[in-house]
Every structure is written in C-alpha cells, then in structure tokens.
Amino acid sequence: MSAEATSPGAPIRRRGRPRIDLRRLGRVALLGPVSRDRLPDAIGHVAEAHRAHHPDADLSILHRAYVLAESSHRGQMRKSGEPYITHPLAVTLILAQLGAETTTLTASLLHDTVEDTDVTLDQVRDEFGDEVCYLVDGVTKLEKVDYGAAAEPETFRKMLVATGDDVRVMSIKLADRLHNMRTLGVMRPEKQARIAKVTRDVLIPLAERLGVQALKTELEDLVFAILHPEEYERTRALIAAASARPDGSGAARQDPLTAIAENVTTVLREAGIPAEVLIRPRHFVSVHRVGTKRGELRGTDFGRLLVLVGEDADCYAVLGELHTCFTPVISEFKDFIAAPKFNLYQSLHTAVVGEDGAVAEVLIRTHRMHKVAEAGVIALGNPYAADGGTGPQAAEPADGERADPTRPGWLSRLLEWQQSAPDPDTFWTTLRADLAQDREITVFRTDGGTLGLPAGASCVDAAYAQYGDRAHNCIGARVNGRLATLGTVLSDGDTVQLLLAEDAASGPSPDWLDHARTPAARIAITGWLDTHPEDTPSPHGGRPGQPSQGHSRPGPQPQEPVGAGLAMAPGGTATAVVDRPDATVRLAGCCTPVPPDAVTGFVVRGGAVTVHRLECPAVARMRSVGRSPVGVSWEDSTEYRVTLVAESFGRPRLLADLTEAIATADAAIIAATVEPPSEQRVRHTYTLQLPDAAGLPGLMRAMRDVPGVYDVSRARHPAATV
C-alpha cells in the first residue's frame, strides 16, 4: 500500500499488480474449500502480497484460518451487499501489502469470528495457538448489552491495554477501520459522521504514533471527505487542475516537480551515488494544509521528491550534493536520521530551488527507512520474537524495559494513567486530549535516565512522570543546572532535577493544573485536590508560578473563622461578609483575598463558605463543575494590609534596598521574615500596611526593580508576625 493515495475512496494500486475485485472474491469464497494442493483463489492475492515481503513464509496456517473464517461467516452479508468474508480478506490484504508477518495475517482473517460467529476464543487457541488467540481477543469488541453507552470507550481501553503487550493488536484494528471507512458510504450520514470523528480523534493519532503513515494518510483523506465535503471537493478540483495544465499551444506543460526530479537524478548520477528519485503526490489533507498555510498553492506544492538510497551514509552524501548544486532553503532542513521521531520515523528533509525559482521539498532516506516510514511497527514483523520473525516471544531484558521500540513513552504513559481513570467518560475524554498532543520530547534525569513527555510539558509533568504520587511533595526543579519554577516548559534535550519536600504532608496547588499537560499529572493533581478541601494549607507551597525553596520552613497557619457569616482579612483590618448569615466563612489560602479585591464565595464540605478572588483559578474550576457562587462583600476599613513574598538571589545590602523601596512607596512594614539562604536564593516575606490599596501595583513594581529580585507575589497564606 502507498501513502500517496489521491483518491481516498479507492484501493491503492501497486505497479504490475491487478486491481482486486472484492465482490468477485466474495463469490469465490462462497464456493467453499478447494483441493489441498493450492490455496483458494480468494486468499491467493493475500498469499502473493505476503510472499513479496516474506518469501519463505509457511502459508498453510493462512489456508486453515481462511477456511475457518469463510465457513464461520458463510451466509453473513455486509451492509454494502457483499459476503461478509470480503471484509476480513480486505483487512488481511492491507496488512499483507504493508509487510505484516504470518501470525498477524492469521489473526486478521479471524478477527471478527469470535465477535460475530459461534467460534470461541478457546477454539482459536486450540487451533492456532496463544499468540493468535491474544490478537483476536485484543480486537474483539465488548458487547453493548453488557456495557451500554460505555461499550465503545471500554473497548478502546481493552484494545490499548492489549496493545501494550502486543502492538500487533492495534495494527489489525487500524487496517480494520481503514476498510470500514472505505465502505462507509452505505451508512446513514449521521453514523458516517460519528465514526469519522472517532477515527479522527483516536485512530488517526494512534496510526501516527505507531508510524503507519500508509494507513494514517488514507484515513485522513476519508475522514476529510466525510466531515468537510466542501473543502474536500475544492481540494480535489485543485489537484485535478494541477495534473493537466495546458500551455499556450494546448499541450500539457511539464510538471515543475518533474523537471527538478530530472535535474536531481542527473546530479546524483554524475556524483556516482546510486539512488532512485521518485515524485510522491501529496494526499488530499496534505494539499489542503499547505494551501491553508500559504494561501496560494505553487506548482510544486502538490508533491515532494523522494530520494531512496542504500545506506545511511548515502543519505548525507545526497544531501551534500543537493545543497551544493541547488540553492537550499535552510529553514526547511530537518535531520530525523540522527534524531528519529518518537514513532520510528527516519529521514532527511530539505528543500531546494530549481532553475526557474520553483521550490521543491525533498525527502532522503534508505529503502529500509522508507519501509518503516510507510508501515511503522508493522514493518518490524514480530518485534517480540528473538529472531525478529515469527518465533517465540523474546525474553524481557534484565532492567525490565522492552528492547524493541514498540512500547514507547506515550504508550507507557497512556497505560499508566488509564488505570487512574476508571470512569469511562473520563477515560474517553482524556484519551482524545492525550492523543491530540502529536509531538514528543525527551528530557534527561540527573541519574542518567530519560523521560518521554509530550511537547509543551512542564516540570510538573516531569515530576509526576518520574515520581508518581510522590510528586505531590515537589517544591521546585533545576533545569539544565539552574533553579526553575515548576511551571517551566521543558524543551527536547533538557536535563531536569526535581526537588521534593521532606514533609510528606505537602500537596499540590490548584495552580499546578494550569501547567500540567500529561493526563497522569492532571488526574493525580485533581485526585489529591478532590480528597482535600481546597483551602487546606500546603506547608511548602510549590506553586508553579512561584519559585520554591529547597529547604524546610515553618508552615503557615490556616485561616480561622471569626464568626457566622463573616471572616477577618489578613492583618485583622477588614471583614468579608457573605450572603449566608449562618455559614462559617474562611478566606481561601490559594489566593489570599484582601480588600479591595473583587471576591466571590463557594460552599465547601461541612457547609462553610470559602472566599476567593474572582481571578483565582479555583473560581473557574468550581463554576465548570456546576458549583453556584455565593455573594461576598467587604466591610468598610480605613487600613489596608497585604503580605508579599519577594524571591531573590542573595547579595550584600539586599535587605536594605528592599526596605528602602518599601518605604519610598509609603508602605509601613508590620512584620518581616527573611529565611536562611538556600541554593543562593533568599525569600523575604513582608506584611505591609498601605494608606491606599491603589498603591499595591506600584509597590510590587518597585520591589521587583531592586537588583537581584526576580519575583514578587502575594503570599498564599498570611505571614507569622515576628
């Protein structure tokens, strides 16, 4: 199968291979078994495609699997009117053309027998062995009669867990969905849209992560045609027009890519580099994306050049010749050979300018890289066999990690967080959000290990990836040797060291959710917050937006209620009054509201009302889950007190300069705490009285302007008076 399908509704043709008529195969299948000395015609095309990749494969097991599948499905028809056996045959042919090994093809032929016929898993195991049985079980759907609306998400959960032990389960599912999408036209429009959306949100990202570009690109085009028919037709018309552009004489002029390809072929031949230069037409979605990005399509935007060579070193030799003989577009150069993508993809990407100014994108890879780029994990054969073929499953390495690349970081993370999401709706929503993150980075730990994280992940994500629930105690991090906040976004190749508090009672701040990208981190943080009142103090802070110290310090005291229906603000100078006269009132420790902050309140466990600043993230979170706000107002006050925390690097005269800045802003220092220096950092906590609340922003700016001070923020909790 080729990834360059330009007609998403049609099977892909191979050079020299006739198009296969599945309706005819269905009629052949109904004729029943044939003589033992040859395969039935209906499976013969699968055998031919399989032998092209595996010349020595034993086809007898395919024969037996076909006979069982055909006899089991006999009499069943698809909604398209074809005999049902045409579906497992088509799925198996897709996998055979991609190079799947015999065990996968056997399971593919049988993948619907347990679900749709009287065949049992025990029968499959007795006849074909444990491996085939496991693969068939992995792709068998759960019954709606048992799971109701949760059947689809729980089926995917079951399938993903099975994929964690054998990636071939997902290979079969992707091929199964591709054939179903090809024949989706017989369904009602609303059902087509529903299936297309699940394909877009779940199956296509999984195909991308497993590197199966041949399936991914055709699935994208099929989904595009269903969900965006107008854009699809517009793109189809552009591609059709680009393939037949007449010049002034009425004759079709030469495709600009063809001219550049001929020049590239000449350059490489003269350089003595054996290479095959091909033109790869872009598929529909790719053309649409390029057009959306550039506004107007150029003649070379409808395809790319593919240069195939024999060895890795030849890839760089081709790159050197192209950059020497053509003008390169340096911004388009990417080296995915030295740094492969997380889905096994390897290739050199560049772009060169032709003689007439046309820019052509060029992909340079070996034949082996091309096979993996098209088929991904399917090209690995049986990755769990000691010989890489169809032998017994290989033993696990001593360190417990898989030796093969089919259990990548994203899959391990997915399998971990799904255990913490027992609710089907939570799992389904989180799975779609997780799969939407389509790039991955690798960061290094100081102990020599690595962490695979989605692009955009922060130190919060790294903490939960490394320590699990122990990350609740994280108070800071060092990134590339320098102290950093927990909200710091990590880049590929960063070295990160997470700092944990000694006090095991520490917990995450609600603000951490603003910086968590991974489902594991979000589920763990949300779980902790759900089991603790939102105003429970955290002794070590650890707020992502505020650097934390790497040493112990006295924990702040919680806000105590001072009466029914009201609570005293920090400093004892103003009172919050709520619209529930009999309620106990507390000021939230997460945002420490003080007059004249705009505030609101929410009823928490025990009937108490917690008061938050309107911009506090907890307010949006509570409203999102349907919590109704309670009206809050401040009693009149002639004083205004606030507690500020200044984070700084230690230096002489720092304290004097800070107190001078405070005095210049007409603020009086009621209390001050200076913690012992740690890691060359010093934390100053000041309780200040201002004549006017409007002067607070200017005061904070003045404190930040003091040399050495890198952050000034409102305290989460009132400071102890000393």
Side-chain angles (χ1 to χ4, degrees):
M1 176 175 300
S2 169
E4 300 123 10
T6 56
S7 177
I12 308 304
R13 300 190 187 191
R14 284 276 188 182
R15 183 179 301 177
R17 181 175 295 162
R19 182 173 179 175
I20 296 171
D21 185 348
L22 290 178
R23 291 182 180 273
R24 183 182 61 80
L25 292 187
R27 291 192 294 271
V28 172
L30 293 178
L31 298 178
V34 297
S35 61
R36 292 186 177 184
D37 59 345
R38 69 182 183 89
L39 288 172
D41 289 342
I43 196 68
H45 297 284
V46 172
E48 177 189 353
H50 186 38
R51 278 280 171 84
H53 294 276
H54 303 276
D56 300 325
D58 179 8
L59 301 180
S60 61
I61 189 173
L62 290 181
H63 187 179
R64 290 191 288 115
Y66 165 75
V67 170
L68 176 59
E70 187 278 325
S71 60
S72 301
H73 290 297
R74 187 175 297 172
Q76 295 178 349
M77 308 296 286
R78 305 194 79 217
K79 290 187 178 181
S80 59
E82 301 164 337
Y84 196 89
I85 189 62
T86 60
H87 172 64
L89 277 171
V91 172
T92 306
L93 181 60
I94 290 169
L95 292 168
Q97 291 176 332
L98 288 172
E101 38 71 55
T102 309
T103 302
T104 302
L105 300 186
T106 304
S108 176
L109 283 168
L110 301 169
H111 78 273
D112 276 339
T113 54
V114 174
E115 182 179 323
D116 294 333
T117 75
D118 293 332
V119 175
T120 66
L121 283 173
D122 288 337
Q123 288 177 288
V124 173
R125 181 182 294 106
D126 293 342
E127 182 70 19
F128 300 99
D130 290 337
E131 272 192 277
V132 172
C133 178
Y134 185 86
L135 298 179
V136 172
D137 184 32
V139 296
T140 299
K141 295 178 184 176
L142 298 175
E143 294 290 343
K144 284 190 177 181
V145 68
D146 297 324
Y147 289 84
E152 185 172 41
E154 289 302 325
T155 293
F156 271 98
R157 189 201 297 265
K158 167 178 175 278
M159 202 174 304
L160 287 165
V161 171
T163 299
D165 287 329
D166 196 324
V167 74
R168 294 173 293 179
V169 170
M170 190 53 63
S171 300
I172 297 172
K173 177 59 182 178
L174 290 172
D176 173 63
R177 178 54 60 95
L178 175 58
H179 183 247
N180 283 333
M181 289 293 295
R182 287 176 177 174
T183 56
L184 204 59
V186 298
M187 301 286 189
R188 299 188 309 274
E190 58 270 21
K191 188 168 185 178
Q192 290 185 41
R194 185 187 67 79
I195 294 174
K197 288 176 181 177
V198 174
T199 303
R200 176 196 63 193
D201 295 343
V202 180
L203 273 303
I204 288 175
L206 285 171
E208 169 70 17
R209 280 159 172 71
L210 294 174
V212 194
Q213 295 296 320
L215 302 186
K216 179 221 172 191
T217 51
E218 189 175 351
L219 284 172
E220 282 185 328
D221 284 350
L222 291 163
V223 168
F224 186 37
I226 293 172
L227 298 183
H228 306 282
E230 293 181 0
E231 289 90 341
Y232 173 82
E233 286 300 325
R234 192 177 304 117
T235 304
R236 185 192 62 78
L238 287 172
I239 293 174
S243 62
R245 293 178 178 172
D247 60 16
S249 62
R253 70 167 177 249
Q254 187 179 35
D255 179 5
L257 270 180
T258 301
I260 298 177
E262 292 174 353
N263 290 338
V264 169
T265 301
T266 301
V267 166
L268 298 181
R269 183 172 58 247
E270 292 176 351
I273 303 174
E276 184 178 2
V277 180
L278 306 173
I279 296 177
R280 285 170 57 89
R282 289 184 184 272
H283 64 106
F284 281 35
V285 171
S286 181
V287 172
H288 177 70
R289 287 172 181 161
V290 172
T292 302
K293 177 181 177 182
R294 295 179 180 161
E296 183 177 353
L297 290 168
R298 304 172 303 199
T300 54
D301 287 336
F302 293 91
R304 294 184 288 187
L305 298 186
L306 172 64
V307 181
L308 298 176
V309 295
E311 304 292 338
D312 290 11
D314 294 337
C315 294
Y316 293 97
V318 169
L319 181 70
E321 290 297 326
L322 294 184
H323 283 194
T324 300
C325 300
F326 297 87
T327 301
V329 182
I330 301 301
S331 61
E332 297 293 327
F333 172 67
K334 298 180 181 66
D335 188 346
F336 295 118
I337 295 178
K341 289 186 178 181
F342 68 95
N343 61 358
L344 311 179
Y345 179 85
Q346 288 184 289
S347 186
L348 294 179
H349 289 203
T350 189
V352 297
V353 181
E355 294 178 353
D356 58 353
V359 177
E361 295 183 32
V362 185
L363 311 178
I364 309 168
R365 58 179 72 141
T366 66
H367 291 278
R368 171 63 180 170
M369 291 176 191
H370 182 57
K371 181 179 179 182
V372 174
E374 293 288 282
V377 295
I378 298 176
L380 300 179
N382 179 1
Y384 312 113
D387 58 357
T390 57
Q393 183 162 321
E396 297 286 339
D399 61 2
E401 296 293 332
R402 290 189 179 276
D404 65 84
T406 63
R407 182 71 177 272
W410 67 267
L411 181 54
S412 296
R413 292 195 305 272
L414 189 156
L415 295 175
E416 289 170 4
W417 69 251
Q418 67 85 23
Q419 295 176 349
S420 304
D423 176 62
D425 290 337
T426 301
F427 166 76
W428 197 229
T429 301
T430 308
L431 175 65
R432 294 185 179 205
D434 190 13
L435 293 176
Q437 302 173 13
D438 59 356
R439 294 191 301 115
E440 184 161 311
I441 63 172
T442 299
V443 298
F444 296 91
R445 302 179 345 207
T446 52
D447 61 4
T450 61
L451 297 172
L453 299 169
S458 68
C459 293
V460 172
D461 299 300
Y464 282 95
Q466 182 170 350
Y467 293 113
D469 287 345
R470 286 182 59 204
H472 294 331
N473 304 333
C474 194
I475 57 174
R478 289 190 184 93
V479 178
N480 300 325
R482 302 185 64 179
L483 291 169
T485 64
L486 286 177
T488 300
V489 175
L490 299 169
S491 299
D492 196 35
D494 280 348
T495 298
V496 61
Q497 178 185 6
L498 289 313
L499 308 176
L500 302 183
E502 296 179 3
D503 184 1
S506 298
S509 160
D511 294 346
W512 289 20
L513 289 171
D514 296 334
H515 302 275
R517 291 289 304 275
T518 59
R522 298 189 64 83
I523 290 173
I525 296 168
T526 303
W528 191 94
L529 294 173
D530 287 345
T531 56
H532 297 75
E534 67 279 346
D535 57 341
T536 298
S538 175
H540 293 279
R543 192 156 51 116
Q546 172 181 325
S548 303
Q549 298 295 337
H551 62 279
S552 299
R553 58 179 181 270
Q557 299 301 314
Q559 297 283 347
E560 294 295 338
V562 299
L566 49 85
M568 193 69 71
T573 62
T575 302
V577 181
V578 303
D579 293 344
R580 295 169 64 98
D582 298 329
T584 299
V585 183
R586 296 186 177 92
L587 300 178
C590 55
C591 57
T592 59
V594 295
D597 291 339
V599 290
T600 188
F602 292 91
V603 179
V604 296
R605 296 170 187 172
V609 175
T610 300
V611 178
H612 294 265
R613 296 162 63 188
L614 280 180
E615 62 266 29
C616 178
V619 172
R621 188 170 67 253
M622 290 185 183
R623 284 176 171 166
S624 69
V625 297
R627 302 277 285 276
S628 299
V630 176
V632 183
S633 61
W634 295 109
E635 285 190 343
D636 293 337
S637 172
T638 57
E639 297 178 326
Y640 176 70
R641 290 187 183 182
V642 65
T643 300
L644 299 179
V645 177
E647 301 277 1
S648 62
F649 297 105
R651 67 170 178 83
R653 292 189 51 81
L654 176 62
L655 180 60
D657 291 344
L658 270 171
T659 54
E660 181 180 355
I662 293 170
T664 303
D666 295 329
I669 300 177
I670 305 302
T673 302
V674 180
E675 299 178 12
S678 175
E679 311 291 347
Q680 297 184 339
R681 294 166 59 196
V682 182
R683 171 175 288 194
H684 301 244
T685 304
Y686 299 94
T687 299
L688 307 173
Q689 183 169 308
L690 284 74
D692 185 357
L696 179 59
L699 169 62
M700 296 177 70
R701 283 195 299 270
M703 294 174 67
R704 289 192 187 101
D705 289 340
V706 173
V709 176
Y710 57 83
D711 189 31
V712 176
S713 59
R714 292 267 291 273
R716 291 189 62 202
H717 300 277
T721 302
V722 295

